[in-house]
Amino acid sequence: MPDLSALPSVEKLAASLESAVTLPRPLVNLYVRRRVQHFRQELLAEKSHTREEIEEDVRETLINFASSRLQPVMNGTGVLIHTNLGRSPLGPRAAAALEAIGTGYSNLEFDLPNGTRGKRAGYLEEALACLLETPAATAVNNCAAALVLTLRTLVSEGKNEVIVSRSELVEIGGGFRIPEILETSGAKLVEVGATNKTHLYDYEKAITPQTALILKVHRSNFYLDGFIGEPEIPEIAKLAHDHGLPLVEDLGSGAMMNTDELAPIEHEPTPQECLRRGIDLVIFSGDKLLGGPQSGIIGGRADLVAEIKKEPFFRAVRCDKLILTTLQESIDQYLETKANPTDSDVPVLKFLRTPVEDLRERAKKILSQLPDGPSIEDTMARPGGGTMPRSEFPSIALKIVPQGQSLTKLSRKLRTGKNALVGYTTDDALFIDLRTIFPEDDGRLTEALQEALA
Ligand SMILES: *Cc1c(COP(=O)(O)O)cnc(C)c1O
């Protein structure tokens, strides 16, 4: 008979762990029961464990689970749009709107002057179109959904071929691959050109009576260099239009400003530029360089946008009021600050243009409150989020070579502390880049470091 005496009581253990985590009690119970059950099986299989071992394991498992709860994180990676850390933070204005609309009733689908049912997102669509300097626009849950929706709308049974250059069959991450997106949408991929070169005649030769559209995909997260070439957008647009075909571009990041004027980085094409050059529909994310909520924006020809809105799938990917209100604030703010984009409160744009000297001053102040050891390092920050893969720009980080504890242990302590802090490690040091830390978080950052280094 196996010895089960090491097995703790679920009730007692759960009660003793309640203060270790701030989780609802039923979840603590469930987790403890599951883990104790696991050890029961182990003991039954004659694997030996002590009571202390089991209790420690359960405690650690529970704490790990608790830390998976969505919570604020201080981003010390220097990557502005970090997909794992929630991409773009919202500015104060969008956050205030979120609270006002989220906690009350609103005119989401109500026409206030007439007292009748109203048009959802009517204002937002007008504002978006105005910002994009194009006849019409709309928004759905994310850029991937916007692309699937657009393709589903524009392809039909006998006309389902979508022409894409072989240099643009991009994988974005998180399972988003252009060939698979096309397949999901009922489109047939027609690849043209070579990886490094695509000519106008490649597109031309591929056009058949079954062609539904030509698709351009922005190489957001990688670049081609060397013996490369592709036709200019106006040339492809002319070809498409001569054949009565729409030219659609999946632009990805959707920068609304000249990124090269904010920081020493590449120029990211803007949706306005694409539309001006002959793209019929442009598609991009709301939570990358735009700095709004997760959403997918579609802008361009009014007849195409209207068709997209009539497609039944539109209903499945429409935005809720929280997204609509935060996006509305983001868009209004761009419209208002057009004359002077540096007035914008969008955090990623502020971070992009913070002078290195400001970061250095903050670093000095933080350092003066820490025990000896950490130093100030000149580093490079990156836009991230699958945008501008070539761009790095000067930044400042705290460099910490741990004393008396391993680098792994220190980093983990900071990640799982009361105020989670994520940095990056190279060789034998931990770096906390200040470019992506909100200045108002410097105090909490200092506290977290003081605690972890003590
Ligand atoms: C990021 C990106 C997407 C996906 O955007 P989501 O908003 O995450 O759905 C699609 N296409 C391109 C080119 C991108 O860069």
Side-chain angles (χ1 to χ4, degrees):
M1 191 59 198
D3 178 13
L4 296 182
S5 61
L7 215 59
S9 122
V10 172
E11 283 291 294
K12 279 194 194 145
L13 187 53
S16 76
L17 289 176
E18 213 185 353
S19 62
V21 288
T22 44
L23 289 185
R25 184 65 192 262
L27 266 180
V28 176
N29 289 347
L30 177 73
Y31 243 72
V32 172
R33 189 172 316 116
R34 204 184 275 168
R35 208 60 202 154
V36 168
Q37 197 62 35
H38 161 80
F39 281 107
R40 166 181 273 277
Q41 297 303 331
E42 296 255 298
L43 292 173
L44 285 173
E46 311 267 345
K47 289 184 190 140
S48 77
H49 292 287
T50 65
R51 171 72 64 94
E52 290 69 42
E53 239 174 69
I54 296 176
E55 290 185 351
E56 190 43 42
D57 176 284
V58 175
R59 184 187 165 82
E60 197 157 303
T61 315
L62 187 68
I63 290 176
N64 285 350
F65 171 62
S67 70
S68 70
R69 196 164 183 279
L70 201 55
Q71 59 174 306
V73 165
M74 289 186 277
N75 174 9
T77 64
V79 178
L80 264 67
I81 306 165
H82 200 302
T83 299
N84 302 151
L85 302 182
R87 287 197 185 156
S88 294
L90 294 173
R93 197 173 144 166
L98 188 60
E99 163 132 35
I101 298 297
T103 57
Y105 297 106
S106 62
N107 61 340
L108 182 65
E109 287 184 9
F110 191 73
D111 180 331
L112 288 170
N114 291 314
T116 52
R117 189 188 167 137
K119 196 169 153 235
R120 193 184 178 95
Y123 175 85
L124 174 70
E125 289 177 344
E126 288 288 347
L128 260 175
C130 173
L131 178 64
L132 298 178
E133 297 159 14
T134 199
T138 191
V140 293
N141 279 337
N142 53 49
C143 183
L147 182 57
V148 173
L149 172 65
T150 302
L151 291 168
R152 282 179 71 109
T153 309
L154 300 182
V155 305
S156 57
E157 196 138 299
K159 229 171 147 50
N160 66 345
E161 293 180 0
V162 174
I163 303 174
V164 190
S165 160
R166 288 201 169 88
S167 65
E168 297 175 358
L169 296 175
V170 179
E171 169 169 327
I172 303 300
F176 181 102
R177 283 179 163 178
I178 291 297
E180 287 156 24
I181 290 282
L182 257 65
E183 206 182 307
T184 307
S185 317
K188 181 167 167 249
L189 170 63
V190 177
E191 301 176 23
V192 298
T195 305
N196 56 330
K197 276 211 176 210
T198 302
H199 299 274
L200 192 65
Y201 60 73
D202 292 320
Y203 283 104
E204 193 165 11
K205 274 193 307 193
I207 296 175
T208 72
Q210 283 76 47
T211 306
L213 63 116
I214 298 179
L215 178 67
K216 289 282 295 168
V217 184
H218 181 48
R219 286 185 285 268
S220 321
N221 56 4
F222 73 106
Y223 56 91
L224 289 177
D225 204 357
F227 186 59
I228 58 166
E230 60 188 6
E232 295 284 335
I233 299 253
E235 295 176 85
I236 309 174
K238 178 165 188 314
L239 176 71
H241 299 156
D242 285 349
H243 288 82
L245 299 171
L247 176 61
V248 177
E249 179 157 22
D250 174 7
L251 191 58
S253 51
M256 286 295 153
M257 294 167 179
N258 293 323
T259 47
D260 46 334
E261 286 171 14
L262 296 179
I265 52 175
E266 291 160 75
H267 176 77
E268 180 73 4
T270 67
Q272 291 89 332
E273 286 165 8
C274 296
L275 292 163
R276 236 176 275 141
R277 301 176 77 202
I279 297 286
D280 296 295
L281 280 179
V282 69
I283 298 171
F284 55 95
S285 285
D287 60 345
K288 289 184 180 170
L289 281 167
L290 182 91
Q294 177 185 301
S295 48
I297 295 163
I298 306 169
R301 256 170 59 189
D303 58 329
L304 298 179
V305 173
E307 254 187 80
I308 286 172
K309 291 202 63 188
K310 275 196 236 120
E311 155 71 35
F313 188 65
F314 180 82
R315 176 65 179 78
V317 293
R318 75 176 187 189
C319 299
D320 82 320
K321 62 187 177 189
L322 303 180
I323 299 298
L324 290 175
T325 191
T326 43
L327 189 57
Q328 174 177 284
E329 288 308 320
S330 309
I331 300 308
D332 272 6
Q333 198 176 25
Y334 276 107
L335 288 169
E336 286 163 15
T337 58
K338 236 177 182 176
N340 186 14
T342 49
D343 288 344
S344 163
D345 80 355
V346 171
V348 283
L349 300 181
K350 278 185 157 177
F351 289 162
L352 252 180
R353 53 174 203 263
T354 311
V356 172
E357 283 325 303
D358 291 11
L359 300 177
R360 201 185 302 277
E361 284 313 307
R362 284 169 51 200
K364 280 186 195 158
K365 191 157 168 237
I366 295 169
L367 219 58
S368 72
Q369 299 168 72
L370 296 181
D372 281 349
S375 56
I376 298 175
E377 255 338 92
D378 284 280
T379 51
M380 296 303 258
R382 283 178 292 139
T387 66
M388 298 183 276
R390 257 178 296 201
S391 291
E392 286 193 327
F393 52 108
S395 191
I396 291 290
L398 303 171
K399 178 183 177 185
I400 305 161
V401 181
Q403 311 287 321
Q405 60 182 326
S406 72
L407 186 58
T408 319
K409 184 154 180 234
L410 173 68
S411 312
R412 189 189 146 93
K413 220 192 267 177
L414 288 166
R415 289 196 309 268
T416 55
K418 183 164 56 112
N419 296 307
L421 170 62
V422 178
Y424 64 95
T425 55
T426 56
D427 305 329
D428 51 0
L430 171 66
F431 289 79
I432 307 292
D433 198 306
L434 290 187
R435 186 167 290 281
T436 42
I437 299 283
F438 288 84
E440 56 269 32
D441 279 346
D442 282 359
R444 292 197 296 149
L445 175 101
T446 309
E447 256 172 58
L449 287 173
Q450 283 166 340
E451 217 165 280
L453 294 172

